[in-house]
Amino acid sequence: MKEKTTKREIFEAAVELFSRKGYKGTSIREIAYAVGIKESSIYNHYKNKEDILRSIFDYFRDDLSSLRPSEHETGKLIDLLSPPDIFKLIFMRYANTENVIIDRIAKIIFSEQYFNPQARDFILNVEIREPIAYYESLLREMARAGKISETDCHFIAEELHYGFLGIIMEYSHVKKEGEYDKDTIQKLIRHVDFIFKHVQN
Amino acid sequence: MKEKTTKREIFEAAVELFSRKGYKGTSIREIAYAVGIKESSIYNHYKNKEDILRSIFDYFRDDLSSLRPSEHETGKLIDLLSPPDIFKLIFMRYANTENVIIDRIAKIIFSEQYFNPQARDFILNVEIREPIAYYESLLREMARAGKISETDCHFIAEELHYGFLGIIMEYSHVKKEGEYDKDTIQKLIRHVDFIFKHVQN
DNA sequence: GTCTATATTATGATAGAC
DNA sequence: GTCTATCATAATATAGAC
């Protein structure tokens, strides 16, 4: 769904409007107007308003899995880079997707987290628990490869991620869309270095 | 505004509904119905829907200032408790207000942060920057009192708070209203202890 | 201060011509 | 697949009786 079909245009307009005015704060009318069609035409592409939101969530889920390094890549990374540098790389990938759509969807999910069960699930699992589990496995591999000392990998993973989440929270307000915020990158780097003072080999 | 006047009842019903269904997702009708009056009666107490939201934000701001320890109390705390214990105390106060209203308002602010300028300001300043500045000043006092070694107080304050924010993000979904989540408290304590391994005297 | 009644506008959604 | 027309409902808000 990358070509500029009408369906895709509706999708993108909805993402933009939902992220800026909220799901409830955006009407089908507005979306249609942004695309340059009549509201009734929307229903040729999506069953209803909720169906648009659902498709936005689906897109986000698909994209996320493509962001996480593969097992093969992970192995190579551990060979080539220092443990802190690996985490800096991972954090930067998330923080700087340069994908405006994903940035916007992240905002939609955030603002819907208390009302929409799927959004809540994203926050709790996809944004919080899965990354921590992934970092934990990564740290275990690093320890196995002798790159870091044996430590409580789960706890270190939590410290890495919770701090990251806090920084990102500020980031989402500070940074301009699609841009790169030097100050935040600095914070992410410092954060990773700080945590790894505890885990040095 | 603590007595159960109609205005107060409207206020509380609005807080409950806004936190559960969102500001845009809640109608004046619903609020009135929850209170047991007609919608038109709402307008005898609040100018309009936005006025209710504004009064909710005001309430939150007033309450927050009462949470932060006074300068006098701060001095006493530094004398009596260890630096990590002081931060544990502060975090627990925020995390466990036992004030259902404040918990709910925090959710409203969170969900409105991208649409409402006042909510955005709360998140960015009241929830992120002011606490960090406060922790920094606290750490400086602790260093002056010889309780911790000289360190980059601003950075340590950031590490303390960003981690706290991440934990709270999960907490807001995990914990049941007004209750106490043992697991999260554990995380907060571990987090503070972790940071202070770097700052030990 | 609450009610009934009403005005006005916005909204999600459908029917049917082209 | 888009349009016009239309519907039904829901929303915010006001006027005025009691």
Side-chain angles (χ1 to χ4, degrees), chain A residues 110 113-114 123 128 161-171 187, chain B residues 91 94-95 110 122-132 135 157-172 184 188 191:
Chain A
F110 232 74
Q113 67 180 307
Y114 298 119
I123 297 290
I128 302 180
H161 196 59
Y162 286 129
F164 173 72
L165 288 174
I167 294 170
I168 284 298
M169 211 169 126
E170 188 178 30
Y171 192 43
K187 278 188 190 178
Chain B
F91 285 169
Y94 275 88
F110 232 74
F122 264 117
I123 297 290
L124 211 45
N125 295 311
V126 181
E127 306 254 39
I128 301 181
R129 290 171 179 173
E130 286 170 21
I132 290 173
Y135 301 160
E158 281 188 346
E159 276 298 315
L160 277 165
H161 195 59
Y162 286 130
F164 173 71
L165 288 175
I167 293 170
I168 284 298
M169 208 170 129
E170 188 177 29
Y171 192 44
S172 74
T184 306
L188 285 176
H191 170 62

Side-chain angles (χ1 to χ4, degrees), chain B residues 64-144:
Chain B
L64 269 193
S65 40
S66 73
L67 260 178
R68 195 157 296 164
S70 66
E71 263 187 64
H72 175 69
E73 198 191 345
T74 299
K76 266 204 333 216
L77 282 175
I78 293 180
D79 277 348
L80 292 171
L81 295 176
S82 73
D85 283 349
I86 292 174
F87 278 96
K88 287 173 200 168
L89 188 77
I90 292 172
F91 285 169
M92 306 265 276
R93 262 195 213 175
Y94 275 88
N96 275 300
T97 68
E98 289 196 15
N99 183 337
V100 181
I101 306 264
I102 290 295
D103 267 15
R104 288 174 179 164
I105 299 178
K107 284 190 186 181
I108 298 170
I109 289 173
F110 232 74
S111 60
E112 281 293 311
Q113 67 179 308
Y114 299 119
F115 322 129
N116 184 302
Q118 211 183 337
R120 189 196 110 106
D121 182 72
F122 264 117
I123 297 290
L124 211 45
N125 295 311
V126 181
E127 306 254 39
I128 301 181
R129 290 171 179 173
E130 286 170 21
I132 290 173
Y134 171 65
Y135 301 160
E136 187 182 338
S137 73
L138 213 53
L139 287 165
R140 280 192 208 292
E141 273 194 69
M142 289 167 177
R144 218 178 301 125

Side-chain angles (χ1 to χ4, degrees), chain A residues 6 38 40-41 44-45:
Chain A
T6 303
K38 295 291 170 186
S40 56
S41 300
N44 281 311
H45 303 279

Side-chain angles (χ1 to χ4, degrees), chain B residues 38 40 44-45:
Chain B
K38 295 291 169 185
S40 56
N44 281 311
H45 304 280

Side-chain angles (χ1 to χ4, degrees), chain A residues 141-152:
Chain A
E141 273 194 69
M142 288 168 177
R144 218 177 301 124
K147 299 280 181 180
I148 57 171
S149 62
E150 285 292 339
T151 43
D152 185 345

Side-chain angles (χ1 to χ4, degrees), chain A residues 20-183:
Chain A
R20 191 158 48 79
K21 312 183 64 181
Y23 173 69
K24 283 279 186 179
T26 301
S27 68
I28 295 278
R29 251 176 186 62
E30 286 175 285
I31 298 170
Y33 182 83
V35 174
I37 57 177
K38 295 291 170 186
E39 6 167 9
S40 56
S41 300
I42 299 266
Y43 296 92
N44 281 311
H45 303 279
Y46 293 95
K47 220 185 88 209
N48 50 33
K49 194 183 171 188
E50 226 197 304
D51 189 36
I52 303 178
L53 187 63
R54 193 199 43 70
S55 87
I56 290 172
F57 286 156
D58 288 349
Y59 177 92
F60 189 75
R61 171 151 271 150
D62 289 348
D63 190 278
L64 268 193
S65 40
S66 74
L67 261 177
R68 194 155 298 164
S70 66
E71 262 188 65
H72 175 70
E73 198 192 344
T74 297
K76 266 203 335 218
L77 282 175
I78 292 180
D79 277 348
L80 291 170
L81 294 177
S82 73
D85 282 350
I86 292 174
F87 278 96
K88 287 173 199 168
L89 188 77
I90 292 173
F91 285 168
M92 307 266 275
R93 262 195 212 175
Y94 276 88
N96 274 300
T97 67
E98 288 196 15
N99 183 338
V100 182
I101 307 263
I102 290 295
D103 267 14
R104 288 174 178 165
I105 299 178
K107 284 189 188 181
I108 299 170
I109 288 172
F110 232 74
S111 60
E112 282 292 312
Q113 67 180 307
Y114 298 119
F115 322 129
N116 184 304
Q118 212 182 337
R120 189 197 110 105
D121 182 72
F122 264 116
I123 297 290
L124 210 45
N125 294 310
V126 181
E127 306 254 39
I128 302 180
R129 290 173 179 172
E130 286 170 21
I132 290 173
Y134 172 66
Y135 300 160
E136 187 182 339
S137 75
L138 213 54
L139 287 165
R140 281 192 206 292
E141 273 194 69
M142 288 168 177
R144 218 177 301 124
K147 299 280 181 180
I148 57 171
S149 62
E150 285 292 339
T151 43
D152 185 345
C153 292
H154 179 71
F155 172 56
I156 298 295
E158 282 189 345
E159 276 299 315
L160 277 165
H161 196 59
Y162 286 129
F164 173 72
L165 288 174
I167 294 170
I168 284 298
M169 211 169 126
E170 188 178 30
Y171 192 43
S172 74
H173 288 287
V174 170
K175 88 160 182 178
K176 292 195 180 80
E177 260 200 354
E179 268 185 43
Y180 180 101
D181 183 66
K182 226 176 163 179
D183 201 55

